[in-house]
Amino acid sequence: MFSGKLSTGKTLLALALSTLLPASAAWAASNDTLIYCSEASPESFNPQIASSGPSFVASSQTLYNRLINFDPVKNTPVPSLATSWTISPDGKTYTFTLRQGVKFNSNKYFKPTRDFNADDVIFSVMRQKDANHPYHSVSQGNYEYFNDVGLDKLIKDVKKVDDYHVQFVLNEPNAAFLADWGMDFASILSAEYADAMLKKGTPENVDTWPIGTGPYALQQYKRDALIRYIANPNYWDGEVPTKHLIFSITPNVETRLAKLQTNECQIIPAPSPVQFDVIKKNKDLALHSVDALNVGYLAFNTEKKPFDNVLVRQALNYATDKKAIVNAVFLGSGTVAKSPLPPNMLGFNKDLKDYAYDPEKAKALLKQAGLEKGAEVTLWSMPVQRPYNPNSKRIAEMIQSDWAKVGVKAKIVSYEWGEYLSGMRKGEHDSALFGWMSDNGDPDNFADVLLGCDSIETGSNAARWCDKTYDGLVKKAKLTSVPEERAGLYAQAQEVFYQQAPWIALANGKTFYATRSNVTGYSVSLMGSDFSKAKLN
């Protein structure tokens, strides 16, 4: 990570924002400045090598664009940097027509000499796909998302037809392929900037001082304090109404609300459900909710004892009072989950059974598994709040209490978010609370990415569970573009999930955020946060 210098004048506001000041001082700027209380420092400003929500908000959703976007209501692909696309009859060739006249931002290291074109798409893809690409190992990138959705193996070739047409050739049809190009990792970077930095011997600048086509450009970053952006004056999707955007990095959920109340921030993500009434009663604040595609769950590490035994996994599903957890923690902001797919997604099996809360059944299964004397395990608790898990500590404590009643002692542990993610990908946990929010509206983004056999290697399969029957059904679902056929295959896969119980599916939650009442134009959708139209009135 890095830290740059601030320019003079009004932009010195950023220095004031790194400390807690009275509301009048924090609001010294005019209405051309918007302050967002971010949950955490980004892992990277290159979304190709990041994997957390705060990283994507700070990078792909402010600095970059992708080939497609998603309709905020239908969650279907719509044009972005690609204005249109065609698909060959065999489903293996996709040809994108690119938008012309799109300008890249600039920074202190580089000023673009050309508009966005096919070379930038080729660079953004091949950096991730080709292990011999000069940028593949820069910043020690491992391109988890690109690999998680299987693009490393799916893409046979990517060709520049001309400056404004790019063609992808696939090894097999894939119904989720188009939607993948609206995901954060698919952000388009500047090939010209990359070439210039490689020649200067500073290729890492591409990731630490990013240049994109998005609504904002990066100006300054102080880790764990603030990020400062300035509006792109040539943004292709229309004028950006707020010149200065500042992220005040505020991990604590109570502190975020306090800053919103004192006008030190005008937008906060993920308020806790216990804060909803406080926000609603304050005429200067507004609480917003968005129906989301997500699932919160507890993953059993099926490679470790005792969770390698399906009877133990089934037992602890029966032992966990999910309804009580949702009632106590979500406070109306979530519903009990039973599947790895959200209820409003293609392929959700509405007839799928769920595990009833039945401690006696749990004890009988544990005895059958040879654990009548119980067991001792660790239970990892997330250090951050998410719509699918607004209070991980409380959920972990309730699960701990439930399991203790059937003789399983769970030691709750937690780590810094980056360490938590890294350890879980490596399989260091016994069991871990986690969750997923849809990146592209496609069921494959849940069914395969979270539970497919190949996803053990990439790290996104936290259960480290590989069932050949389940995996075969999910892979077959990717090969057909007929929605009814796909839905039937996913429904069968969920039956296998229920029987094998690699998770406890806990909850599906709504996405909440809060703003000052005078904020307009800011929105949250499947693609995350959109600051491009946000302003203060």
Side-chain angles (χ1 to χ4, degrees):
M1 294 300 182
F2 63 91
S3 177
K5 294 182 179 179
L6 282 167
S7 56
T8 57
K10 227 181 344 186
T11 56
L12 287 171
L13 171 69
L15 292 174
L17 293 169
S18 62
T19 58
L20 288 173
L21 294 177
S24 59
W27 192 234
S30 63
N31 282 11
D32 69 353
T33 301
L34 187 67
I35 307 155
Y36 172 83
C37 269
S38 175
E39 298 169 274
S41 295
E43 305 159 86
S44 170
F45 282 103
N46 179 354
Q48 297 174 333
I49 57 178
S51 61
S52 69
S55 298
F56 293 145
V57 176
S59 60
S60 59
Q61 296 164 28
T62 48
L63 302 169
Y64 296 101
N65 299 116
R66 287 142 294 283
L67 291 178
I68 68 163
N69 208 332
F70 292 100
D71 182 288
V73 177
K74 299 178 181 178
N75 291 332
T76 53
V78 295
S80 183
L81 291 181
T83 58
S84 63
W85 46 86
T86 59
I87 307 171
S88 64
D90 66 359
K92 292 184 181 182
T93 302
Y94 287 69
T95 304
F96 291 91
T97 300
L98 306 182
R99 189 177 300 278
Q100 299 187 34
V102 176
K103 309 292 183 185
F104 278 98
N105 282 298
S106 59
N107 63 23
K108 65 181 182 179
Y109 297 111
F110 178 76
K111 185 175 182 179
T113 65
R114 63 163 177 82
D115 293 347
F116 155 75
N117 68 25
D119 291 331
D120 305 304
V121 179
I122 301 294
F123 168 76
S124 300
V125 175
M126 296 309 294
R127 173 180 178 170
Q128 299 179 81
K129 176 176 171 55
D130 182 5
N132 295 317
H133 192 280
Y135 267 86
H136 187 78
S137 298
V138 172
S139 304
Q140 297 180 332
N142 55 14
Y143 312 105
E144 289 175 14
Y145 267 74
F146 186 86
N147 296 333
D148 283 349
V149 298
L151 293 179
D152 54 332
K153 298 173 183 175
L154 178 65
I155 297 173
K156 181 178 181 180
D157 195 11
V158 55
K159 306 173 183 178
K160 175 182 177 180
V161 179
D162 57 41
D163 278 351
Y164 293 101
H165 291 88
V166 173
Q167 190 173 86
F168 289 83
V169 180
L170 311 184
N171 285 308
E172 62 184 13
N174 187 297
F177 180 76
L178 182 60
D180 289 341
W181 293 101
M183 293 171 64
D184 294 281
F185 78 84
S187 296
I188 302 301
L189 282 61
S190 168
E192 186 187 20
Y193 180 37
D195 288 343
M197 293 302 98
L198 196 62
K199 290 175 183 176
K200 287 185 177 181
T202 56
E204 66 280 357
N205 286 347
V206 170
D207 300 333
T208 57
W209 278 104
I211 285 179
T213 61
Y216 284 93
L218 183 68
Q219 281 197 310
Q220 190 228 6
Y221 172 51
K222 286 185 175 290
R223 184 176 177 84
D224 298 331
L226 63 84
I227 312 170
R228 182 173 172 270
Y229 306 87
I230 191 165
N232 177 356
N234 302 305
Y235 188 44
W236 62 269
D237 198 26
E239 181 183 358
V240 180
T242 302
K243 184 175 182 181
H244 301 287
L245 175 64
I246 297 168
F247 280 26
S248 177
I249 298 169
T250 312
N252 184 275
V253 65
E254 295 176 357
T255 306
R256 287 201 298 274
L257 177 58
K259 286 186 174 184
L260 185 70
Q261 291 170 316
T262 57
N263 208 13
E264 293 174 70
C265 292
Q266 287 79 54
I267 304 171
I268 63 170
S272 168
V274 299
Q275 298 174 331
F276 290 172
D277 282 344
V278 174
I279 296 169
K280 291 176 181 177
K281 290 176 181 177
N282 188 328
K283 64 179 178 61
D284 295 322
L285 308 181
L287 180 68
H288 311 266
S289 68
V290 179
D291 287 333
L293 296 172
N294 64 42
V295 61
Y297 58 89
L298 181 137
F300 300 113
N301 187 338
T302 61
E303 293 181 344
K304 287 187 175 183
K305 292 184 178 299
F307 300 128
D308 60 340
N309 189 327
V310 65
L311 296 175
V312 175
R313 303 195 301 265
Q314 291 174 342
L316 294 184
N317 265 275
Y318 282 116
T320 303
D321 191 346
K322 298 195 295 187
K323 185 175 180 180
I325 290 172
V326 170
N327 288 341
V329 177
F330 285 78
L331 303 178
S333 68
T335 56
V336 172
K338 62 178 180 178
S339 163
L341 299 187
N344 49 346
M345 176 167 273
L346 172 72
F348 174 75
N349 186 345
K350 62 182 178 58
D351 298 320
L352 186 71
K353 294 179 183 178
D354 196 9
Y355 288 88
Y357 177 54
D358 190 341
E360 294 307 312
K361 177 71 171 176
K363 290 178 183 177
L365 286 169
L366 288 171
K367 183 177 181 179
Q368 189 179 342
L371 293 179
E372 62 269 23
K373 295 183 179 179
E376 294 185 7
V377 299
T378 58
L379 195 170
W380 286 27
S381 172
M382 295 165 54
V384 296
Q385 297 82 34
R386 288 289 181 271
Y388 53 73
N389 190 329
N391 189 334
S392 186
K393 183 174 184 291
R394 178 65 177 136
I395 290 177
E397 289 171 346
M398 294 183 74
I399 292 174
Q400 180 187 51
S401 176
D402 285 344
W403 289 4
K405 294 172 186 174
V406 298
V408 175
K409 297 180 180 179
K411 178 184 178 182
I412 298 172
V413 296
S414 189
Y415 305 93
E416 181 271 330
W417 188 223
E419 188 178 356
Y420 190 96
L421 292 171
S422 176
M424 196 172 61
R425 291 185 200 111
K426 296 174 184 175
E428 296 173 355
H429 58 293
D430 291 344
S431 61
L433 288 168
F434 201 51
W436 196 255
M437 301 182 68
S438 177
D439 296 299
N440 60 15
D442 193 275
D444 181 71
N445 190 232
F446 288 79
D448 190 22
V449 170
L450 301 183
L451 290 163
C453 293
D454 292 342
S455 297
I456 296 174
E457 183 179 348
T458 63
S460 62
N461 183 340
R464 306 186 73 80
W465 174 70
C466 177
D467 183 278
K468 296 301 183 182
T469 301
Y470 175 95
D471 203 58
L473 289 164
V474 168
K475 282 183 165 50
K476 188 176 180 181
K478 284 196 288 189
L479 295 175
T480 176
S481 59
V482 180
E484 294 79 11
E485 292 181 14
R486 296 190 78 201
L489 291 164
Y490 287 123
Q492 293 178 57
Q494 288 162 81
E495 295 287 353
V496 179
F497 168 87
Y498 167 77
Q499 293 293 337
Q500 292 297 311
W503 292 358
I504 300 175
L506 291 170
N508 307 111
K510 285 189 173 184
T511 294
F512 286 84
Y513 63 97
T515 67
R516 298 289 297 183
S517 298
N518 61 337
V519 173
T520 61
Y522 173 76
S523 62
V524 174
S525 68
L526 176 67
M527 281 305 300
S529 297
D530 184 358
F531 296 92
S532 66
K533 303 293 188 291
K535 63 180 180 178
L536 297 169
N537 296 315

